[in-house]
Amino acid sequence: MKTKLLSLVAVSLLATTATAQDNSLLYEVTGNNLTQPSYLYGTFHLVCPNDLVLTDATKKAVTDAQQLYLEIDMDDPNLQSSMMQGMMLTGGKTMKDLMSADDYAVVDSYLQKNSGMGLAQIGGLKPIALYSFMMMGALGCQPASYDLTLMQMAIKDKKEILGLEKLDDQMALFDKVPMDKQVSMLADMARKPEEVQKELASMLNAYKAQDLTSMMKQMKESKYDGGIEDFEADLLDKRNQNWIPVIEKAAKEKSTLFAFGAGHLGGDKGVIKLLRDKGYTVKGVK
């Protein structure tokens, strides 16, 4: 699945298989004339606080790195206002205009039960934004974020925080997914909460075990992605390719920790493979 909030959706989209030696969430990047190592870290953007665990190796990578790159620059002072603007439906529309009466009723009931707010209050948001409220119900807690935790650690150490892509570019990608598919995903989740909870728990267990192969397989087989797999090239592959020159430039300048959705790590078009194809040594760190 996907947190961000923006990142969560981006994180957990799809992935292909990974080799056994790549079953890790943390990777060291060396070679190809780098003067110092950099690191890749796969995040799971929204989890319950008790499930947010950083290993000693990951903490050391945060300490050793001189700067942090997230999917977007999350300490940008204009981020909140830009995000709210990008999350709103346009033309004065609300979810009532986009949903059948039955779908509207079931989603509204689910949201009120699990978040305390119904579509009367937040129905002007795009489905991609409402997804985060739906996830609160699936998790059964007030979510915590790996991305925000890493950012807070970097801020404490007075390290610069940057983004692999712009928020506007990320939002434009999600806008490519047809609205009816996004709306359908919300209704499916509201109607089958037990299935969603089971799927999410299984995926999270694989993540916590650093079983990247299993986690990616489950992402591929997810029943609640709203048809997003049809847009894998835009939402996953192209973004991975776009990130490579950003990663290369930053790693040559400073030791950097790059943290992004774990779904971007593996596979034939994943960040690990793309960097290896460029001549870098990318080694899993347990």
Side-chain angles (χ1 to χ4, degrees):
M1 295 268 191
K2 315 80 174 157
T3 157
K4 20 95 126 152
L5 158 64
L6 292 175
S7 314
L8 171 66
V9 181
V11 158
S12 315
L13 295 176
L14 293 165
T16 53
T17 57
T19 56
Q21 64 265 28
D22 286 340
N23 273 346
S24 178
L25 299 174
L26 176 67
Y27 294 81
E28 181 186 69
V29 182
T30 57
N32 206 11
N33 298 319
L34 291 183
T35 59
Q36 50 198 334
S38 283
Y39 305 91
L40 312 175
Y41 185 70
T43 64
F44 199 107
H45 296 292
L46 293 182
V47 297
C48 287
N50 290 341
D51 288 324
L52 199 160
V53 178
L54 294 175
T55 65
D56 290 340
T58 302
K59 293 176 182 177
K60 185 177 186 302
V62 177
T63 299
D64 291 348
Q66 296 170 280
Q67 59 185 359
L68 171 67
Y69 267 75
L70 300 170
E71 290 185 22
I72 56 176
D73 183 356
M74 294 183 67
D75 74 339
D76 181 347
N78 298 317
L79 180 64
Q80 189 70 23
S81 59
S82 297
M83 184 176 290
M84 285 305 301
Q85 183 177 355
M87 287 293 190
M88 299 300 296
L89 291 168
T90 58
K93 290 185 177 181
T94 70
M95 293 306 296
K96 184 168 285 189
D97 300 308
L98 303 175
M99 286 181 152
S100 69
D102 287 345
D103 285 352
Y104 185 93
V106 73
V107 172
D108 181 58
S109 176
Y110 181 95
L111 288 170
Q112 291 195 50
K113 177 181 177 181
N114 292 286
S115 72
M117 291 185 291
L119 290 176
Q121 291 81 32
I122 56 177
L125 295 173
K126 293 178 180 178
I128 203 72
L130 293 174
Y131 182 89
S132 65
F133 291 94
M134 303 290 289
M135 288 299 295
M136 289 175 62
L139 287 169
C141 64
Q142 182 65 38
S145 166
Y146 273 92
D147 304 81
L148 288 175
T149 299
L150 293 171
M151 183 182 75
Q152 290 163 358
M153 294 171 67
I155 290 174
K156 183 178 179 181
D157 291 341
K158 295 181 171 56
K159 295 176 180 177
E160 188 171 10
I161 299 161
L162 300 143
L164 290 166
E165 60 193 8
K166 300 294 185 183
L167 174 64
D168 289 347
D169 295 334
Q170 192 178 80
M171 290 302 303
L173 287 170
F174 290 115
D175 285 341
K176 289 187 176 184
V177 181
M179 188 61 69
D180 61 332
K181 289 184 177 290
Q182 297 186 45
V183 170
S184 176
M185 176 179 64
L186 298 180
D188 287 347
M189 291 178 68
R191 284 192 169 92
K192 301 176 182 178
E194 293 82 7
E195 286 189 18
V196 176
Q197 290 170 356
K198 183 178 179 180
E199 181 180 285
L200 180 60
S202 179
M203 195 180 301
L204 182 56
N205 285 337
Y207 178 84
K208 289 162 64 178
Q210 299 196 40
D211 188 347
L212 191 61
T213 302
S214 175
M215 184 184 65
M216 290 179 143
K217 182 176 183 293
Q218 291 181 58
M219 290 176 183
K220 181 77 173 179
E221 297 172 352
S222 172
K223 298 178 182 178
Y224 301 100
D225 60 10
I228 288 176
E229 73 276 7
D230 297 334
F231 302 87
E232 177 181 3
D234 286 328
L235 294 173
L236 194 69
D237 300 343
K238 287 184 181 178
R239 294 173 71 207
N240 293 345
Q241 293 167 5
N242 291 340
W243 291 352
I244 296 303
V246 180
I247 291 173
E248 286 192 282
K249 184 176 185 297
K252 288 176 181 177
E253 295 173 351
K254 294 180 180 180
S255 177
T256 305
L257 173 64
F258 303 94
F260 45 80
H264 292 275
L265 283 172
D268 291 338
K269 298 179 181 180
V271 172
I272 294 171
K273 177 68 162 53
L274 293 175
L275 287 175
R276 286 174 176 167
D277 288 347
K278 287 275 191 174
Y280 296 93
T281 298
V282 185
K283 181 178 65 176
V285 181
K286 280 289 187 180

